Amino acid sequence: MSKVIGVLDLQGDVVEHIDHFNRLGVKTRRVKKPEHLQGLRGLVMPGGESTCLRRLLKLFGLDESIRQAVRETGTKVWGTCAGAIILAAEVDGVREGMGVMDIAVQRNAFGSQLASFQTEARIPAVSDKLLPLTFIRAPKIIRAEEGVRVLLELDGYIAMAENEPALVTVFHPEMTPSLAFHRYFAEKCACLPEPMSEKTQHTGDKDTDESWNPTSWTRLAMVDAMKRNL
Ligand code: GLN
């Protein structure tokens, strides 16, 4: 397996994740078709809209191939927000998820898009620094069964958890200057460049990229559009 992390490229925060991995010097590949999963050590299922994502996964024949890659090839998966909903075993009381992690989630648990918010928390498994967290019409993880390790619990709900094949965050680390979560997942996939390149060494807190801003990713989207002659 090559040291590459795939980013599911159907809908949602695709370039934002690629941009974060680029900053760490981690190689990525966009995944639109089952054959793009070949040899991947990890796969990010980005946030977006889970009903839409679920339909597209089926339409492109990716749902079963992803399950297979996790089960048979040992590909690790990280679901952020809508991606976490897709990986869960139970969604709003119905056993309809992919079931990669035995958790129950409640969608849109904070209310409408207007109830989106930012906060910060300390997550010892990830970093000894306070980490910024961005919640966008987020779900809550309301139950975690045996075999699931809870990494962050906030007011009566779970916000981050993992098991052997998967990581889930109900918030959006790709929407903050922190690279800590991407580093954590890249480490889980054994995909961090060794030794860490100069490019990834930041002054001060090594996981905060001061050059990041909320529109940094548009740079990548523009390169993409140019390639496709848009
Ligand atoms: N509310 C969305 C859903 O249920 C998830 C939102 C997100 O990914 N930011 O699919």
Side-chain angles (χ1 to χ4, degrees):
M1 272 204 238
S2 47
K3 278 186 161 192
V4 181
I5 292 182
V7 179
L8 183 68
D9 185 7
L10 298 179
Q11 194 259 339
D13 275 2
V14 179
V15 262
E16 293 87 335
H17 277 289
I18 293 176
D19 182 46
H20 262 49
F21 284 122
N22 280 352
R23 289 167 191 271
L24 286 168
V26 173
K27 284 204 195 102
T28 56
R29 182 196 304 158
R30 289 169 182 257
V31 173
K32 279 184 183 292
K33 298 177 179 173
E35 54 264 39
H36 299 157
L37 291 166
Q38 200 79 40
L40 287 181
R41 288 200 187 175
L43 175 71
V44 174
M45 317 268 283
E49 211 288 324
S50 59
T51 309
C52 177
L53 207 51
R54 200 183 300 285
R55 294 181 73 155
L56 289 171
L57 281 165
K58 246 199 188 86
L59 206 65
F60 287 84
L62 271 160
D63 49 354
E64 195 38 51
S65 338
I66 292 173
R67 239 186 241 123
Q68 207 174 334
V70 172
R71 218 177 22 227
E72 290 164 23
T73 337
T75 304
K76 311 282 185 203
V77 271
W78 174 18
T80 55
C81 207
I85 296 171
I86 301 285
L87 293 178
E90 187 184 306
V91 180
D92 291 340
V94 182
R95 306 287 291 181
E96 66 167 5
M98 232 180 216
V100 175
M101 195 182 290
D102 205 355
I103 50 172
V105 299
Q106 183 191 348
R107 289 180 63 196
N108 307 326
F110 299 89
S112 78
Q113 192 83 0
L114 292 174
S116 300
F117 62 97
Q118 282 181 312
T119 184
E120 40 184 25
R122 210 173 291 278
I123 309 172
V126 178
S127 169
D128 53 4
K129 301 269 179 340
L130 264 179
L131 297 167
L133 311 175
T134 299
F135 289 70
I136 307 172
R137 210 180 182 204
K140 285 181 182 174
I141 301 169
I142 52 173
R143 209 173 55 245
E145 303 296 347
E146 224 179 283
V148 177
R149 179 175 168 225
V150 173
L151 297 176
L152 176 65
E153 197 157 356
L154 296 168
D155 300 321
Y157 66 93
I158 298 163
M160 179 176 189
E162 77 175 335
N163 61 6
E164 200 272 318
L167 176 69
V168 292
T169 52
V170 300
F171 45 84
H172 288 262
E174 75 287 2
M175 299 300 287
T176 77
S178 174
L179 305 178
F181 295 93
H182 290 75
R183 181 192 301 279
Y184 186 77
F185 183 63
E187 241 160 27
K188 187 176 172 81
C189 305
C191 272
L192 276 180
E194 281 299 340
M196 292 296 289
S197 70
E198 281 294 302
K199 222 176 98 209
T200 62
Q201 315 250 314
H202 304 290
T203 44
D205 178 359
K206 66 180 164 60
D207 280 328
T208 301
D209 192 331
E210 304 294 350
S211 71
W212 182 92
N213 69 56
T215 57
S216 292
W217 60 272
T218 53
R219 203 171 21 89
L220 276 182
M222 267 156 64
V223 173
D224 223 46
M226 271 156 62
K227 275 197 208 139
R228 286 183 287 146
N229 278 331
L230 294 177

